[in-house]
Amino acid sequence: MDSNYSKFKTVCRILKENSFDKSKLIPILQAVQEEYKYLPKEILVFIALSLNTSPAGVYGVATFFSHFTLKHKGRHIIKICDGIACHVKKSNSLINALKNKLGLKEAEYSTKDVFFTIETVSCLGACGLAPVFLIDEDIYGQMTPDKAVELIDKIME
Amino acid sequence: MIDLDNITRSVKKAGENITKRIVVCAGTGCVAGGSIKVFESFIIVAKELGISVCVELKGGNIGTLLSKSGCQGFCQKGPLVNILPAEILYINVKVDDVKEILEKSIKNNSLIDRLCYSDNGKVCKGQNEIPFYKKQHRVVIKQCGVMDPENIEEYISIGGYRAAEKACAEMTDKEICDVVLAAGLRGRGGGGFPVGKKWNLARNQTASKKYIICNGDEGDPGAFMDRSVMEGNPHGIIEGLVIAAKATGADEGYVYVRTEYALAVKRMKKAVKDASDIKVLGKNIFGSGHNFTLHVMEGAGAFVCGEEIALIASVEGKRGMPLPKPPFPAQSGLWGKPTTINNVETLATIPMIINYGADVFRETGTVSSHGTKTFALTGHVLNTGLIEVPLGSTLRQIIFDISGGVTDGKGSVKDGNFKAVQIGGPSGGCLTEEHLDLSLDFDSLKKVGAMVGSGGLVVMNKSICMVNIAKFFMQFTQNESCGKCVLCREGIKQMLLMLSDITEGKADEDTISLLEELARAVQIGSLCGLGKTAPNPVLSTLKYFRNEYDAHVKEKRCPAGECKSLINYEITDKCIGCTVCAVKCPAKAISGERRQKHKIAIVKCVKCDICIKSCKFNAIEIV
Ligand SMILES: Cc1cc2nc3c(=O)[nH]c(=O)nc-3n(C[C@H](O)[C@H](O)[C@H](O)COP(=O)(O)O)c2cc1C
Ligand code: SF4
Ligand code: SF4
Ligand code: FES
Ligand code: FES
């Protein structure tokens, strides 16, 4: 109960900052996701009620945009670019190497301890340095599978 | 009221005793390479050495000015450090190099050869000598690599906001539209629609409220031009917006930036705030009676939101779905009001046209495509990065003269390595050797089934399978389709499945003809540009690389050796048994005694290429 209350308190602040304006739904969801790293379902309903709109509408927006996620993610998020520039520079060997390193199977994206989550994205706009990936906020360019695995080792330390 | 000349004078005065300038690139690429640490260490080391270095143009400052810039273009060689007025460009600068730069190049004006770009052994001092820069025509991004993007006064001191002042105070809305029309500027966001026409359409609407939107979504994978302009010259875009707002009668606007572009968002926001503070934005701009407020909005990651109507929907807080046109946004856009949408680069070009006139602008380019265009050059070329060339330049000039040629898997240039170039992202197509001398402009590219698009150029060497590339783009458009049209939603999915079958050796000749038929249907039957252009990569590869498709279906063979289901790895007699591959293989598929030829267990192999890369004796081959 306690944690729920604090959840809604932050959401209320975000809603207020956006003057409970329906058209600001995307910035609102962005701010909420920044807080919790994902969009908890009960919060989506709460937002819908507060903005006087339907939960389905809010849910529709939250699922439409790839930036939003309804699932809890790991502490460190690795976004591997698989855009065209990175793809031709063999980004899939990075993906394989990292999945291997973290012991992730085909359809798994988060490690069991939810320490890492791997995602592929379709361009980080640093294509000149392809292949590229992002760990949390930092971009790493001109990567090789070896270098990538080394980086993970460093973070795990 | 704001006095631009006054600000310019005070900036000049503050710089009186500044003799040199160190510009550290702080674009995304160089930041990734550690340029911020380099910047900070300049401050610390200069202090230790007793060299006078300041980081701000303020009265009383003497010596060397240290500043950051947006992307200087040569990202792959970053972090870059540019020294002015000597015009020295140092590449791959590390924190450890800072002391030497200060001692040799700042104190003693001497050049450090080892930090310079070398062109086949010849040391190049700076942009004037480096082939990558020498052969370009940098106009729109010229200031990107020099100016401090976070300092509005510097932008003003080099002539910034003069065009906005002129447009607001001296020109009528019609006059502005006329100049832009006469310049023949075509939108840089992909379609190449004449900007003057679009503005006129909006101008002629009678409405009490109109909007203008800068499209900085840049969802095209492989493109980063708009990002670089937003990071490197945000005020250039704002100036373009002020002019566009006046020309179309808008008093409110949005800059829509991709959320992935954190640095661009930050710089745009700061630039909007600074411009509002000195009243270049706001009420009664330059005393002209023209009002204009600007907001920055972050997108949320949907490629289709680059499309005008989808973009408007997402600004309104809805899912980004396109609608049939007309009505065009210029007639009924954001909240039903006339809305003009222009691309980042388009807007950044506007001040130049107002300052120098239509005729000067028309001097560059071709008969129907005037001016310059930025391209994001990536893939298998020696020098990747951000370039700007006159429209009408050829691929050969770009790939071989500017970029230095096509590279192999290990990164070295070899003749005869060129296979194809993908231009214009998911809406564009793949071109081949026969197009190397084709003029790159809006019309000639359309004729060969490609598109300037936003300007991504991905060069591919012979290791790339074109069927795979087509599949790659189908995967992308399938993920990004908004799902509204059946042909876009289902058709692309089926196309993707067919391409998968081809790459996995499960298809026959009928699959290819069906694929082609469906591609045409998707082209015709989709509502928005995403669906309409999605088949382009498939159709262009089918047209220019048909033999490759045939090899997959008839011989169950991938000529490029890329399609995993159709290849195997084999260790040849060149193997000396060094064990390196066995150690590196993540699947533990390689076995063998030391000094004996090794073997690969095909069933275990995940075809990751690591062994090929790690074998120094080239003993592993794809069969
Ligand atoms: C699916 C799709 C994605 C698009 N993405 C972008 C984009 O990221 N940036 C952009 O400026 N234009 C994009 N466009 C084109 C815009 O709809 C619009 O034509 C353009 O912003 C107009 O600006 P311009 O006339 O200055 O080129 C896209 C179009 C489609 C159909
Ligand atoms: S063509 Fe595709 S992306 Fe465009 S509206 Fe139709 S379904 Fe949506
Ligand atoms: S391709 Fe990869 S998995 Fe296969 S043998 Fe080589 S290193 Fe091992
Ligand atoms: S394609 Fe990977 S960063 Fe652009
Ligand atoms: S980011 Fe520094 S050159 Fe591009």
Side-chain angles (χ1 to χ4, degrees), chain B residues 187-201:
Chain B
R188 300 313 197 220
F193 191 78
V195 178
K197 258 195 196 162
K198 195 190 268 184
W199 287 12
N200 257 327
L201 197 59

Side-chain angles (χ1 to χ4, degrees), chain B residues 355-469:
Chain B
N355 279 330
Y356 304 113
D359 291 340
V360 173
F361 184 76
R362 291 176 76 96
E363 275 166 21
T364 349
T366 69
V367 252
S368 66
S369 305
H370 306 286
T372 55
K373 175 81 191 87
T374 58
F375 288 98
L377 185 59
T378 59
H380 299 131
V381 278
L382 187 61
N383 296 311
T384 59
L386 174 73
I387 63 164
E388 182 174 352
V389 292
L391 279 160
S393 302
T394 66
L395 285 168
R396 193 183 298 282
Q397 285 165 338
I398 293 174
I399 298 171
F400 295 93
D401 299 347
I402 293 178
S403 170
V406 183
T407 54
D408 61 11
K410 297 213 159 88
S412 40
V413 176
K414 241 190 268 153
D415 283 342
N417 236 335
F418 175 77
K419 177 158 188 183
V421 53
Q422 211 285 336
I423 181 166
S427 314
C430 289
L431 301 178
T432 80
E433 202 133 25
E434 67 177 283
H435 301 109
L436 281 177
D437 294 306
L438 182 81
S439 150
L440 290 187
D441 60 63
F442 293 109
D443 307 311
S444 60
L445 278 169
K446 223 171 244 164
K447 265 185 221 144
V448 294
M451 214 171 138
V452 176
S454 57
L457 277 180
V458 190
V459 179
M460 293 177 253
N461 67 17
K462 298 237 154 94
S463 73
I464 298 293
C465 167
M466 299 317 286
V467 185
N468 227 344
I469 286 296

Side-chain angles (χ1 to χ4, degrees), chain B residues 322-337:
Chain B
L323 292 169
K325 294 187 226 183
F328 292 97
Q331 297 159 320
S332 169
L334 192 55
W335 290 297
K337 305 288 181 219

